[in-house]
Amino acid sequence: MILPIVAYGDPVLKKKGKEIPENYPELPALIENMFETMYGAYGVGLAAPQVGLAIRMFVIDPAPFAEDESISEEEKETLLNLKKVFINPQITEETGEEWAFNEGCLSIPDVREDVKRKPTISITYQDENFNTYTEEYSGLAARVIQHEYDHIEGILFTDKLSPFKRRLVKRKLENISKGKVRTEYRMRFPKLKKTK
């Protein structure tokens, strides 16, 4: 089932997600719905807060990035095989020299900006069966994970912009929260005036 994606301005996007217990109700269905929602919106990642749930979980499938000509065969291989669920993740380390990449977000349609992040991360997380893993990711894979991880920490990529850049996108963000934006996927807008 495709879920509506929560738009910029909804308080759930600013909440720090709660840990998920093993008996979390309907978890397999939620994971399936989140993948379906992400693919339906042509996204490469989707975090639970983006479907209105302040819990520590996100799904990713960065395969579309593998079409980038400038990346190595090894990185392509990683991106093509990284369809994954991250439950209760904890980024334990971020290393290397920050690099900029143009990011967007399904909750903030039509806004794209360069965001600087460190290139390599170490992350501990659980899969859908609550097995625990600690893994290292670099490059675009790390970036997709960092972006979604920020969501469960209540951080949006626009929070990482300079004050000047934030001023430039302020009106766009305000319009998004009011539903004054066109998307090809279902969204839930916090400030949309209810018509009788």
Side-chain angles (χ1 to χ4, degrees):
M1 183 175 70
I2 291 184
L3 308 167
I5 292 174
V6 173
Y8 178 89
D10 192 302
V12 75
L13 294 175
K14 289 296 190 179
K15 283 186 182 152
K16 195 168 175 167
K18 289 188 161 56
E19 294 253 321
I20 301 177
E22 282 194 41
N23 60 353
Y24 190 84
E26 307 289 327
L27 188 61
L30 174 61
I31 292 167
E32 193 178 312
N33 292 343
M34 282 179 65
F35 272 116
E36 202 177 324
T37 302
M38 179 186 80
Y39 291 134
Y42 303 103
V44 293
L46 187 70
Q50 293 181 275
V51 292
L53 300 168
I55 55 174
R56 297 186 71 76
M57 180 172 85
F58 58 84
V59 299
I60 65 163
D61 186 353
F65 283 141
E67 291 165 23
D68 186 335
E69 304 284 306
S70 66
I71 62 175
S72 70
E73 283 305 314
E74 187 186 1
E75 190 168 3
K76 275 183 188 165
E77 196 61 32
T78 300
L79 295 169
L80 286 170
N81 297 296
L82 199 58
K83 179 181 173 182
K84 234 180 213 307
V85 179
F86 290 81
I87 294 174
N88 301 327
Q90 205 61 52
I91 289 181
T92 51
E93 197 176 14
E94 295 181 286
T95 54
E97 201 168 310
E98 286 190 340
W99 63 296
F101 185 80
N102 198 257
E103 291 190 22
C105 178
L106 296 177
S107 292
I108 314 175
D110 296 345
V111 175
R112 296 195 67 85
E113 291 291 339
D114 283 353
V115 177
K116 287 185 171 178
R117 298 186 188 273
K118 293 197 170 172
T120 302
I121 62 162
S122 187
I123 186 166
T124 299
Y125 68 96
Q126 292 166 314
D127 66 11
E128 57 273 37
N129 301 312
F130 287 86
N131 298 313
T132 303
Y133 301 88
T134 298
E135 293 168 349
E136 194 172 272
Y137 294 97
S138 290
L140 288 169
R143 180 161 297 259
V144 173
I145 292 167
Q146 286 163 315
H147 179 105
E148 298 311 326
Y149 183 83
D150 278 353
H151 273 298
I152 63 170
E153 291 289 316
I155 299 165
L156 299 170
F157 85 92
T158 47
D159 298 334
K160 295 184 174 287
L161 304 178
S162 68
F164 174 69
K165 280 271 170 70
R166 274 210 295 273
R167 276 200 304 280
L168 290 181
V169 297
K170 189 172 185 229
R171 175 163 289 151
K172 264 189 179 176
L173 296 176
E174 195 54 42
N175 283 339
I176 290 166
S177 70
K178 291 175 182 165
K180 295 180 183 173
V181 67
R182 291 176 89 116
T183 59
E184 294 186 8
Y185 50 89
R186 279 174 63 209
M187 290 196 80
R188 196 176 89 201
F189 300 99
K191 295 181 184 169
L192 187 63
K193 297 274 183 280
K194 302 275 187 282
T195 51
K196 289 186 179 176

